[in-house]
């Protein structure tokens, strides 16, 4: 008992709910990915492309986090996948309690993969476990190179980093060499994909990698 109380104290309320979510996802053989970035990096466009490329191979659902609107959820719904909207009403990150409720609504036992699109923000989403299997962080070439050193925690905890808007690289000052150097310091084991959600460039490398991760959990059919 003493040990449990200590653990409760140390982990905090969010971490306990995240563990509960994680256990539930694991029981259902579901892969859950927490998708994070600053606003405008292209999370939703990457999701749209990912859904298209994996169509017919796996069953996917999406939990959409946004401050007030359901614009992204509408875009995802058009792709024919189940989507649940969370409006945080001003809160700048998702927490495990919000995700647990959305997951109940999603009714996901038949799904193989669930994406959680977090609120666009590189700061506090990094500190909130949601119960996900891993984190995917998007950085776009239009944002500049300084984001990795300015927001190290979010990049440190990512299993995969998508460098989006790679088609715009010639028109920006983004340096792939500097990016590789910074990531080598902060998170040398991260899987890196250079992609363009807009043109589709590099997206198949990402979805092939993702499909292997999903298959690692076992497909439902
Ligand atoms: Mg979005
Ligand atoms: Zn926040």
């Amino acid at each position: 008992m003493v040990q449990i109380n200590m653990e409760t104290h140390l982990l905090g309320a969010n971490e306990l709910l995240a563990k509960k979510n994680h256990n539930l996802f694991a029981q259902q053989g579901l892969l859950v990915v927490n998708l994070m970035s600053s606003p405008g990096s292209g999370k939703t466009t990457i999701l749209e492309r990912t859904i298209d490329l994996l169509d017919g191979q796996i069953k996917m659902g999406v939990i959409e986090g946004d401050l007030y609107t359901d614009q992204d959820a509408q875009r995802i719904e058009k792709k024919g996948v189940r989507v649940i909207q969370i409006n945080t009403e001003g809160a700048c990150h998702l927490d495990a309690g919000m995700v647990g409720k959305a997951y109940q609504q999603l009714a996901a036992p038949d799904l193989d993969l669930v994406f959680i699109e977090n609120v666009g923000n590189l700061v506090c989403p990094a500190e909130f476990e949601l119960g996900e299997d891993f984190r995917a962080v998007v950085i776009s070439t239009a944002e500049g190179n300084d984001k990795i050193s300015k927001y190290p925690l979010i990049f440190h905890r990512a299993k995969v980093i998508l460098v989006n808007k790679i088609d715009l690289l010639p028109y920006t000052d983004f340096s792939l060499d500097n990016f590789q150097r910074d990531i080598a310091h902060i998170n040398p084991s991260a899987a890196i994909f250079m992609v363009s959600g807009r043109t589709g460039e590099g997206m198949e490398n990402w979805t092939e990698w993702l499909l292997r991760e999903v298959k690692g959990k076992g497909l439902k059919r």
Side-chain angles (χ1 to χ4, degrees):
M1 279 306 268
V2 170
Q3 207 178 354
I4 290 166
N5 287 340
M6 287 266 300
E7 199 177 47
T8 307
H9 181 68
L10 289 172
L11 288 176
N14 186 73
E15 276 73 11
L16 287 174
L17 288 172
K19 275 200 162 181
K20 209 173 134 191
N21 290 347
H22 190 80
N23 291 341
L24 189 60
F25 302 153
Q27 269 170 28
Q28 302 195 334
L30 183 69
L31 188 81
V32 178
V33 180
N34 183 0
L35 184 63
M36 302 190 282
S37 78
S38 55
S41 301
K43 293 184 294 303
T44 312
T45 307
I46 284 174
L47 272 182
E48 289 172 316
R49 284 268 180 191
T50 301
I51 292 165
D52 284 345
L53 286 167
L54 294 177
D55 184 40
Q57 301 180 74
I58 58 168
K59 272 195 114 170
M60 239 172 100
V62 176
I63 294 171
E64 270 295 340
D66 207 348
L67 296 174
Y68 303 106
T69 80
D70 66 350
Q71 292 171 23
D72 291 354
Q74 286 183 30
R75 285 169 59 186
I76 297 300
E77 207 156 40
K78 284 198 186 110
K79 294 287 172 187
V81 306
R82 227 178 296 158
V83 54
I84 299 296
Q85 177 70 54
I86 300 174
N87 281 131
T88 61
E89 306 296 341
C92 50
H93 60 270
L94 296 180
D95 65 37
M98 296 174 192
V99 168
K101 280 180 202 148
Y103 181 71
Q104 298 295 338
Q105 289 175 262
L106 192 63
D110 60 328
L111 301 181
D112 302 302
L113 170 64
V114 169
F115 269 102
I116 303 165
E117 182 176 339
N118 216 313
V119 177
N121 178 353
L122 291 175
V123 188
C124 52
E127 294 176 25
F128 286 81
E129 298 289 336
L130 305 178
E132 71 270 27
D133 287 283
F134 63 82
R135 297 165 170 207
V137 177
V138 181
I139 177 171
S140 76
T141 61
E143 285 167 74
N145 273 103
D146 54 353
K147 297 301 170 292
I148 293 143
S149 49
K150 279 187 172 178
Y151 307 99
L153 185 64
I154 199 161
F155 292 100
H156 173 67
R157 292 191 177 168
K159 177 165 178 167
V160 51
I161 298 169
L162 297 151
V163 183
N164 192 28
K165 308 191 188 182
I166 203 72
D167 54 317
L168 299 184
L169 190 61
Y171 310 104
T172 71
D173 295 327
F174 193 88
S175 157
L176 287 181
D177 287 343
N178 290 353
F179 168 78
Q180 302 280 14
R181 183 201 60 205
D182 290 345
I183 289 298
H185 282 297
I186 285 168
N187 187 350
S189 61
I192 310 279
F193 296 97
M194 309 289 170
V195 302
S196 169
R198 194 175 70 89
T199 68
E201 183 182 343
M203 285 297 295
E204 280 174 9
N205 295 332
W206 148 246
T207 54
E208 279 164 18
W209 179 90
L210 180 61
L211 189 58
R212 280 198 298 277
E213 294 287 324
V214 176
K215 284 179 173 168
K217 288 260 167 177
L219 295 182
K220 300 276 157 60
R221 286 156 292 152

